[in-house]
Amino acid sequence: MGCPLRILKDNPRLRGPWTLVLLGLVSLAGVGDGHAAAARAEAYTGVFVGAGRSENRVIDPEGFAHWGRRGWATDYDDGDLVGGLLAGRRFTVNGARFRIELDGTFGDLSARSDRVDPVGRDETARARLRWAATARVGLEHEEGPVTVFFNGGAAVASITNSVTDIDFSRNMPPRMDPDDSFHDRSTKIGWVLGLGIEAPLADGWKWRLDGSYLGFGRGTHRVNRSGNNPCGPGGPRRACSYRVENHLVLLRLAVIRRFDLWR
């Protein structure tokens, strides 16, 4: 893999969290010690079930909802069952054992909190995740029949974030205030780290237990778009912001079938 390594050395901007993914893809393509890779390469596919937990936070940087409390943060988490598919390839390069893997997780993970304004309780934050997919490169180590592995890479997920503000008074029924609310459904890109173990189950089959943590960064969403209210006591009348963070924790039990590519 001399050529890819020279490219990384001569281009510092390429180095960083994607270096591991690049090296794994180069190795997967067969660049490097072809004899070592050919001797140990195998493909695998599998299905999994498990538990997922959606961990979310909304931050009110200027104290718009929790009036005057700048930086007020509200956490809202919840979990449910998930399932999915995975496929990958394991190979050996110069005695080191690698794997590259793709997976898709499906479920309906929703979380909510009405404490964006803990006094009035009239703003509700919600997050909903329907699916997530990852592309990972990992290292593994065998201890007898058990294989321990660590991996990381890129993640993508469909996530819906919203804050709904309800206005009410003595002379009118409660109603949603669209100017002070937002609703955003988008495909977010992030990162994933995972750790797991595998052991033989039957001829050509393995069972696997792993845990993963996925992060999708922070997004900014505008409310008070008409600028009819200040963003905090004494502030200017303009659009105000909420900042939302989304994370996902997965614990999965999988059954995997391996396929030798070379013997």
Side-chain angles (χ1 to χ4, degrees), residues 134-253:
T134 71
R136 317 184 190 201
V137 174
L139 293 168
E140 62 180 54
H141 175 71
E142 286 187 351
E143 287 289 343
V146 176
T147 301
V148 180
F149 64 88
F150 169 81
N151 57 31
V156 60
S158 174
I159 303 177
T160 301
N161 287 304
S162 66
V163 168
T164 303
D165 177 60
I166 302 297
D167 287 342
F168 55 89
S169 68
R170 185 176 302 176
N171 301 320
M172 71 175 189
R175 64 181 180 85
M176 186 191 81
D177 183 350
D179 190 48
D180 291 345
S181 307
F182 75 85
H183 184 277
D184 173 73
R185 180 177 179 180
S186 59
T187 300
K188 296 185 177 294
I189 297 175
W191 51 267
V192 60
L193 293 175
L195 179 68
I197 59 172
E198 292 176 351
L201 184 62
D203 184 31
W205 294 87
K206 292 184 176 184
W207 66 265
R208 165 169 153 180
L209 180 66
D210 67 44
S212 299
Y213 191 82
L214 290 72
F216 297 98
R218 176 184 293 181
T220 299
H221 306 275
R222 301 294 179 182
V223 295
N224 191 45
R225 290 176 291 275
S226 67
N228 63 333
N229 290 299
C231 296
R237 294 178 180 270
R238 54 173 173 76
C240 311
S241 63
Y242 289 121
R243 297 171 185 165
V244 180
E245 300 173 358
N246 302 112
H247 296 86
L248 176 63
V249 180
L250 295 174
L251 182 64
R252 312 182 301 183
L253 179 63

Side-chain angles (χ1 to χ4, degrees), residues 75-154:
D75 295 323
Y76 43 111
D77 312 328
D78 207 352
D80 209 335
L81 298 177
V82 297
L85 306 170
L86 62 88
R89 178 173 169 180
R90 304 169 63 209
F91 51 95
T92 301
V93 178
N94 294 330
R97 302 189 59 177
F98 297 89
R99 65 176 64 197
I100 187 165
E101 184 173 295
L102 304 175
D103 67 59
T105 300
F106 305 93
D108 190 355
L109 302 176
S110 300
R112 64 183 295 275
S113 173
D114 62 357
R115 298 188 62 81
V116 179
D117 175 7
V119 178
R121 308 290 280 270
D122 57 340
E123 278 118 349
T124 300
R126 291 183 175 88
R128 185 178 188 183
L129 187 148
R130 291 175 176 262
W131 60 263
T134 71
R136 317 184 190 201
V137 174
L139 293 168
E140 62 180 54
H141 175 71
E142 286 187 351
E143 287 289 343
V146 176
T147 301
V148 180
F149 64 88
F150 169 81
N151 57 31

